[in-house]
């Protein structure tokens, strides 16, 4: 049912530290017009930086962005609503962290809440993107002696520079997917410079806030319905290569599987740089792997989302000049234990990524959106990568990298994509219901006669959603962290097995390997820094920030200055006490996890740090690991 509604005028109250002002708005007013009216109401100049939030908490997810194609009603704003204004002293990026993610429900579908692609159009793009926009991207060609008949300072069709998206060049150099910036150049070439070809994600949700009818499922109109979706193989990729700084990063991660036989998940931290082998390409360099809390067996990995301490981990990484660039998981099945070979299970006739793994990849990519200046909402796609450690055709451990397409991200974001029960190579688009409208989703394939036919995505081969990303080793290994290669590294977090525990005994053993003038090298361990910052019994957290800055800048003097602090002196005294109790500074007293014998209250001592009651014979607290 469609009705003719006159344009409505309503008021929105804007609260700030200087009081509340009322802003008069039209029913169809865009958020850009509204933000400009707020600016005029508070008499801000052109240099003022402020944000308007829907709720009092002023969280990133509640920002009302300044968009010319989004109306106030799209954000649920109505007459009399109160919004909240915050003035920023300096212009900073609102970082999207994993605190914004939602949960995995009982039906194995990932629900993304809130819609992170609508956070803010003012999100500052990554530095690598800014640098690539400044480059011409043209591929220079040398003068050909056979075809070029002109002078040395002239050009012809055979030696004129070509565009970075030139199909013949990509095919000749075996580049399967053009880089994202090459794709952008292709869109923005021409007379209109891409003005009429903005990047927009597909939408699978009913448009909210329509006043022409009652909410779905009672009422609906054609203007509110999402369009049908036809899936296409993505011709570009946001990341063109993933490289680990050195082999020991992966080896430390794989050691868990080698020790237990259980699978493992890790989060990749590193940075983005230009990839010279692909025109306008981007590579992700991995410096460290963080292992979140998880339960694993030989076949299944379970982890809680959002991850525990994720804000603190991201803060430490950011101060070290690192960011989360992807995730890695193992799928390793031993073939011959004596030879150390593994089975080759992922191949063309089985699958490369399962539907469940595509679902998780889409989930992670959606909560790590890619800022993009030519997108209508400020974001498009993601640089977040997925790496699977599995067996190759030679039965050796091999790294395979992937991203899921932007279309897959949209299906996951809008809760439309499900894994199938018994066929890992097939996904399934959710059926529509009274609770959720789901548009028709199709894909195209060729029949036995070479004719292209359209099929419903129920079920859907996940190969239509994948973009492969090469994973390579560096030409020259670098050691941003752990620069002294002859030392035993500090144990990795959340490994509750003998010899891998993070406790004070492990800290004592680790630090006793270094001389007094190697303090900077000793502290340059990502897992050690996490232990110091997250251990509630140690006097750190915010106090560790100057040390992180010193490590980032490789400033030995600043690290030595931090070493003189009272808080680190406390740790040194505890280490001396630990060494005196054990009688050997290099002996680790890691807890094996075995059950302790019955306790006798007459032979116990109370830990002065955590008050845990310990056996008199135990030199260290079994709860916090600190010495008696």
């Amino acid at each position: 049912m469609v009705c003719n509604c006159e344009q409505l005028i309503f008021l929105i109250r804007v609260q700030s530290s200087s009081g509340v002002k009322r802003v008069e708005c039209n029913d169809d007013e865009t958020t850009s017009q509204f933000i400009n009216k707020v600016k005029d109401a508070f008499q801000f100049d052109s240099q003022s930086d402020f944000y308007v939030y829907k709720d009092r908490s002023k969280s990133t997810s509640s920002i009302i962005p300044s968009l010319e194609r989004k109306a106030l009603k799209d954000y649920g704003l109505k007459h009399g609503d109160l919004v909240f204004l915050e003035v920023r002293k300096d212009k900073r990026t609102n970082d999207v962290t994993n605190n914004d993610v939602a949960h995995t429900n009982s039906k194995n579908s990932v629900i993304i809440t809130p819609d992170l692609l609508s956070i803010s159009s003012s999100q500052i793009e990554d530095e690598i993107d800014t640098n690539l926009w400044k480059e011409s991207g043209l591929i220079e060609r040398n003068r050909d002696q056979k075809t070029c008949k002109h002078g040395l300072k002239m050009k012809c069709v055979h030696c004129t520079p070509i565009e970075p998206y030139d199909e013949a060049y990509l095919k000749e150099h075996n580049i399967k997917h053009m880089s994202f910036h090459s794709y952008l150049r292709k869109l923005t070439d021409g007379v209109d410079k891409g003005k009429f070809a903005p990047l927009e994600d597909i939408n699978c949700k009913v448009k909210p806030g329509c006043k022409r009818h009652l909410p779905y499922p009672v009422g609906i109109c054609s203007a509110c319905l999402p369009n049908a979706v036809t899936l296409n193989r993505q011709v570009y990729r946001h990341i063109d290569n993933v490289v680990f700084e050195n082999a020991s990063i992966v080896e430390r991660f794989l050691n868990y599987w080698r020790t237990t036989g259980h699978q493992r998940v890790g989060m990749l931290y590193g940075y983005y740089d230009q990839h010279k082998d692909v025109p306008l390409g981007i590579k992700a360099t991995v410096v460290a792997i963080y292992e979140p809390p998880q339960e694993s067996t030989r076949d299944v990995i379970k982890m809680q989302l959002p991850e525990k301490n994720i804000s603190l981990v991201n803060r430490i990484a950011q101060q070290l000049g690192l960011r989360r660039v992807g995730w890695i998981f193992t799928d390793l099945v031993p073939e011959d234990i004596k030879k150390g070979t593994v089975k080759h299970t992922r191949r063309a006739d089985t699958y490369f990524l399962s539907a469940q793994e595509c679902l998780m990849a889409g989930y992670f990519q959606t909560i790590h959106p890619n800022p993009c200046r030519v997108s209508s909402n400020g974001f498009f796609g993601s640089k977040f990568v997925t790496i699977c450690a599995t067996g190759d055709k030679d039965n050796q451990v091999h790294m395979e990298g992937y991203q899921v397409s932007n279309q897959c991200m949209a299906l996951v974001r809008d809760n439309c994509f499900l894994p199938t029960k018994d066929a890992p190579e097939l996904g399934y688009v959710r059926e529509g219901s009274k609770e959720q409208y789901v548009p028709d989703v199709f894909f195209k394939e060729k029949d036995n006669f070479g004719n292209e036919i359209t099929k419903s995505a129920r079920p859907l081969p996940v190969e239509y959603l994948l973009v492969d990303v090469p994973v390579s080793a560096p030409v020259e290994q670098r050691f941003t962290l752990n620069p002294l290669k002859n030392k035993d590294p500090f144990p990795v977090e959340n490994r509750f097995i003998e010899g891998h525990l993070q406790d004070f005994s492990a800290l004592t053993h680790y630090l006793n390997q270094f001389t007094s003038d190697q303090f900077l090298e000793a502290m340059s361990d990502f897992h050690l820094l996490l232990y110091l910052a997250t251990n509630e019994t140690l006097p750190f957290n915010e106090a560790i920030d100057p040390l992180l800055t010193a490590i980032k800048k490789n400033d030995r003097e600043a690290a030595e200055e931090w070493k003189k602090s009272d808080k680190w002196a406390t740790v040194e005294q505890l280490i001396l006490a630990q060494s005196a109790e054990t009688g050997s500074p290099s002996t680790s007293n890691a807890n094996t996890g075995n059950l302790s014998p019955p306790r006798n209250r007459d032979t116990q001592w109370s830990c002065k740090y955590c008050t845990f009651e310990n056996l008199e014979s135990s030199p260290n607290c079994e709860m916090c690991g600190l010495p008696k």
Side-chain angles (χ1 to χ4, degrees):
M1 173 176 161
V2 180
C3 65
N4 260 335
C5 300
E6 296 181 358
Q7 192 178 59
L8 300 177
I9 303 297
F10 59 96
L11 295 176
I12 293 181
R13 296 171 297 154
V14 184
Q15 181 179 349
S16 71
S17 58
S18 60
V20 177
K21 294 185 182 294
R22 292 169 174 81
V23 177
E24 185 176 280
C25 307
N26 298 323
D27 181 42
D28 59 348
E29 190 153 293
T30 66
T31 59
S32 176
Q33 294 171 322
F34 171 67
I35 295 298
N36 286 333
K37 287 185 176 180
V38 171
K39 181 179 177 180
D40 295 337
F42 287 87
Q43 297 181 346
F44 290 142
D45 58 32
S46 59
Q47 300 300 319
S48 298
D49 189 27
F50 65 94
Y51 293 92
V52 180
Y53 300 82
K54 289 180 60 178
D55 60 37
R56 194 179 299 274
S57 66
K58 298 181 180 179
S59 61
T60 305
S61 59
S62 67
I63 292 178
I64 302 174
S66 177
L67 302 174
E68 295 181 355
R69 298 191 177 193
K70 291 288 185 179
L72 291 177
K73 58 186 177 183
D74 294 334
Y75 291 87
L77 294 176
K78 56 186 182 299
H79 177 68
D81 278 355
L82 178 66
V83 297
F84 304 87
L85 183 141
E86 180 184 30
V87 180
R88 299 291 178 89
K89 293 182 180 180
D90 56 351
K91 297 185 178 182
R92 295 179 180 176
T93 301
N94 285 322
D95 294 328
V96 180
T97 68
N98 280 359
N99 291 328
D100 296 319
V101 308
H103 58 280
T104 304
N105 65 18
S106 59
K107 295 183 180 180
N108 287 329
S109 62
V110 177
I111 304 173
I112 307 299
T113 309
D115 182 358
L116 294 180
L117 298 184
S118 301
I119 290 179
S120 171
S121 63
S122 62
Q123 175 77 15
I124 299 175
E125 65 185 3
D126 296 334
E127 183 180 0
I128 180 62
D129 295 312
T130 303
N131 293 337
L132 288 175
W133 275 112
K134 296 176 182 177
E135 295 196 6
S136 68
L138 295 176
I139 302 169
E140 297 292 337
R141 294 189 294 174
N142 295 326
R143 183 173 181 272
D144 190 295
Q145 297 293 338
K146 295 181 179 179
T147 58
C148 297
K149 306 299 182 182
H150 50 75
L152 295 177
K153 295 184 179 181
M154 300 176 68
K155 293 285 186 180
C156 68
V157 293
H158 303 289
C159 60
T160 302
I162 57 177
E163 299 292 346
Y165 50 82
D166 184 81
E167 293 184 6
Y169 177 87
L170 298 177
K171 185 176 181 180
E172 178 185 353
H173 290 78
N174 198 26
I175 300 174
K176 186 176 179 181
H177 301 276
M178 75 176 76
S179 68
F180 180 58
H181 275 267
S182 295
Y183 177 71
L184 293 180
R185 298 299 168 89
K186 186 175 182 179
L187 286 182
T188 55
D189 268 358
V191 178
D192 61 2
K193 299 298 181 182
K195 180 180 179 181
F196 303 106
L199 294 176
E200 292 188 5
D201 285 304
I202 62 172
N203 176 48
C204 301
K205 291 183 177 180
V206 174
K207 184 179 179 181
C210 183
K211 297 183 179 180
R212 298 179 178 180
H213 51 74
L214 293 174
Y216 177 84
V218 178
I220 193 106
C221 67
S222 59
C224 300
L225 288 176
N227 296 324
V229 177
T230 300
L231 300 176
N232 300 306
R233 298 182 190 271
Q234 191 165 291
V235 297
Y236 60 89
R237 56 190 172 201
H238 293 270
I239 293 296
D240 302 282
N241 186 255
V242 180
V243 60
F244 290 85
E245 265 202 339
N246 57 75
S248 64
I249 298 172
V250 177
E251 289 301 313
R252 292 181 73 181
F253 177 70
L254 295 179
N255 278 342
Y256 183 86
W257 172 78
R258 293 190 177 113
T259 303
T260 65
H262 294 179
Q263 309 303 334
R264 197 69 173 165
V265 165
M267 299 298 164
L268 307 176
Y269 281 87
Y271 56 90
Y272 298 119
D273 201 359
Q274 187 168 356
H275 184 49
K276 300 294 185 179
D277 295 340
V278 176
L280 299 178
I282 299 175
K283 69 178 178 181
T285 301
V286 180
V287 176
I289 301 178
Y290 164 71
E291 299 181 16
Q294 56 194 279
E295 298 176 18
S296 62
T297 66
R298 297 177 187 274
D299 304 307
V300 178
I301 304 172
K302 295 180 180 179
M303 56 184 295
Q304 183 68 36
L305 296 174
E307 306 157 30
K308 182 182 179 181
N309 294 328
I310 185 59
S311 296
L312 179 57
V313 176
N314 282 342
R315 180 177 69 81
I316 291 175
Q318 183 180 15
Q319 290 184 281
L320 291 172
L322 308 175
R323 61 187 298 177
R324 184 172 286 199
V325 298
W327 69 303
I328 183 173
F329 65 93
T330 61
D331 181 23
L332 297 166
V333 181
E335 183 195 46
D336 191 322
I337 298 178
K338 293 182 179 179
K339 295 181 179 179
T341 55
V342 292
K343 292 184 178 179
H344 182 211
T345 57
R346 295 175 182 250
R347 51 185 186 269
D349 59 344
T350 56
Y351 61 92
F352 296 108
L353 280 189
S354 69
Q356 179 66 53
E357 292 157 0
C358 287
L359 182 71
M360 289 305 301
Y363 168 73
F364 284 128
Q365 287 181 210
T366 302
I367 63 175
H368 295 89
N370 176 55
C372 181
R373 66 175 69 177
V374 296
S375 174
S376 59
N377 61 8
F379 296 93
F380 190 75
S382 173
K383 294 187 181 76
F384 202 84
V385 297
T386 297
I387 295 182
C388 175
T390 185
D392 63 11
K393 61 181 180 180
D394 298 321
N395 302 113
Q396 301 297 316
V397 177
H398 174 67
M399 302 287 172
E400 296 178 351
Y402 299 96
Q403 286 191 299
V404 294
S405 66
N406 292 5
Q407 289 181 324
C408 178
M409 286 175 58
L411 292 176
V412 173
R413 179 200 65 212
D414 294 338
N415 196 27
C416 295
F417 184 72
L418 296 171
T420 52
K421 185 176 181 180
D422 301 318
E425 74 278 7
L426 297 176
Y428 197 87
V429 174
R430 185 188 295 273
E431 301 281 354
S433 64
K434 292 182 179 179
E435 291 75 26
Q436 178 182 355
Y437 178 88
V438 179
D440 292 327
V441 181
F442 305 97
F443 68 96
K444 294 181 179 181
E445 67 176 11
K446 292 185 178 180
D447 60 15
N448 296 332
F449 302 100
N451 300 317
E452 194 172 61
I453 56 175
T454 301
K455 287 188 172 184
S456 171
R458 300 185 178 102
L460 167 68
V462 296
E463 63 186 72
Y464 282 84
L465 309 176
L466 291 181
V467 178
D468 60 297
V469 180
V471 181
S472 62
V475 177
E476 294 183 5
Q477 296 197 76
R478 294 185 58 192
F479 292 84
T480 300
L481 302 176
N482 304 102
L484 301 182
K485 299 180 282 296
N486 59 339
K487 308 294 184 183
D488 294 335
F490 190 73
V492 178
E493 60 284 332
N494 300 313
R495 293 186 178 184
F496 302 110
I497 55 176
E498 184 177 358
H500 293 255
L501 288 175
Q502 287 188 342
D503 58 14
F504 205 80
S505 296
L507 177 62
T508 301
H509 167 69
Y510 172 77
L511 292 178
N512 280 331
Q513 300 177 95
F514 298 88
T515 61
S516 59
D517 61 344
Q518 293 177 332
F519 182 73
L520 179 63
E521 289 82 0
M523 293 294 102
S524 298
D525 186 296
F526 191 68
H527 308 286
L528 169 66
L529 295 171
L530 291 179
Y531 172 74
L532 295 177
T534 57
N535 194 314
E536 296 178 356
T537 59
L538 294 178
F540 296 109
N541 197 343
E542 296 293 339
I544 205 173
D545 291 357
L547 175 62
L548 298 175
T549 303
I551 295 173
K552 178 183 177 181
K553 296 181 178 180
N554 198 27
D555 189 338
R556 189 175 301 276
E557 292 184 3
E560 290 292 335
E561 188 65 28
W562 186 87
K563 182 182 177 182
K564 299 175 183 177
S565 65
D566 294 338
K567 293 187 176 182
W568 183 252
T570 302
V571 175
E572 289 183 327
Q573 292 299 318
L574 292 173
I575 292 174
L576 289 175
Q578 169 77 17
S579 301
E581 290 287 346
T582 61
S584 174
S586 60
T587 302
S588 175
N589 292 323
N591 184 5
T592 61
N594 297 328
L595 294 176
S596 301
R599 298 179 181 273
N600 185 341
R601 289 188 177 274
D602 296 332
T603 60
Q604 292 180 345
W605 60 274
S606 178
C607 177
K608 62 182 178 180
Y609 301 102
C610 69
T611 70
F612 185 76
E613 296 293 327
N614 296 273
L615 288 176
E616 184 65 30
S617 59
S618 176
N620 306 309
C621 176
E622 293 185 16
M623 179 61 67
C624 66
L626 294 177
K628 180 178 177 181

